[in-house]
Amino acid sequence: MKKMLLGAVGLSALLASCGTGVAPDGSGSGRVSAVRTEYRVGSVTGPFAACDNVNNAVATTQVSVYFSVSGSVQNVNVGLYGNNSSQYDANYNTTVTGEQLYTVDTSGNYRLTFNANPATGGFLPQSIVVTPTRAKVKIVSVDQQAAGSFHTRLTVNTGTATYNFSSRNIAGGNVLVYPNCTVVSVTGEDV
């Protein structure tokens, strides 16, 4: 039994590294499919980014995490985690109930949208505020290298178990954070 449990824990760790996760008791599974922000660098196909300052003013960055789950969901903890530093990690995570999740379709696909507020002198958000209204994506130019980057990690509580998965190892799952951005244009694309 212990070997089987260790195997399940090992499998959960392997899956989480690929953007997927499985509850140890089999009560659910999930995966991150995309992380989008309200800023794209350079063009409509450029990478999504976060900006501490936009047009010379402190700005928030709206982030949408797209993910799918099977099984029951009592609540989901979502957090932004620095790839360069964990100094501010505890400041930007929150737990939302299943009712607060926006259902993209009937196949268990969800979107969680929130505003990330930049910390003074930091490269990651100070807090997360869940909001259902999505911003339009803006094309920005940047004049400096990124100050850091973040990925998102979700912990799902099924009611009988919890499991984790993150965007760290999926394409586009790590978002660069720029100190200064200038809006070039606004698209019709939602975050």
Side-chain angles (χ1 to χ4, degrees), residues 75-184:
N75 58 55
V76 177
N77 178 275
V78 61
L80 300 181
Y81 292 85
N83 293 325
N84 304 65
S85 168
S86 62
Q87 180 179 357
Y88 303 105
D89 287 357
N91 294 335
Y92 10 84
N93 70 62
T94 193
T95 300
V96 295
T97 63
E99 294 84 38
Q100 291 176 297
L101 298 174
Y102 175 79
T103 305
V104 175
D105 58 34
T106 58
S107 300
N109 294 307
Y110 298 93
R111 181 189 75 238
L112 184 55
T113 301
F114 49 84
N115 292 325
N117 298 315
T120 303
F123 62 88
L124 282 177
Q126 186 175 14
S127 63
I128 293 175
V129 180
V130 176
T131 176
T133 305
R134 292 190 294 168
K136 297 297 181 189
V137 174
K138 298 155 194 69
I139 308 305
V140 296
S141 64
V142 296
D143 60 359
Q144 297 174 321
Q145 286 189 314
S149 64
F150 66 83
H151 65 278
T152 186
R153 184 168 64 205
L154 291 92
T155 300
V156 176
N157 176 357
T158 67
T160 60
T162 60
Y163 62 97
N164 304 310
F165 49 98
S166 82
S167 67
R168 188 165 198 164
N169 294 314
I170 67 167
N174 295 290
V175 177
L176 292 175
V177 181
Y178 292 93
N180 298 298
C181 300
T182 302
V183 174
V184 175

Side-chain angles (χ1 to χ4, degrees), residues 6-39:
L6 286 174
V9 171
L11 177 61
S12 293
L14 177 65
L15 291 174
S17 71
C18 299
T20 62
V22 177
D25 68 354
S27 60
S29 64
R31 72 176 181 83
V32 176
S33 55
V35 178
R36 299 168 53 91
T37 70
E38 69 179 289
Y39 306 111

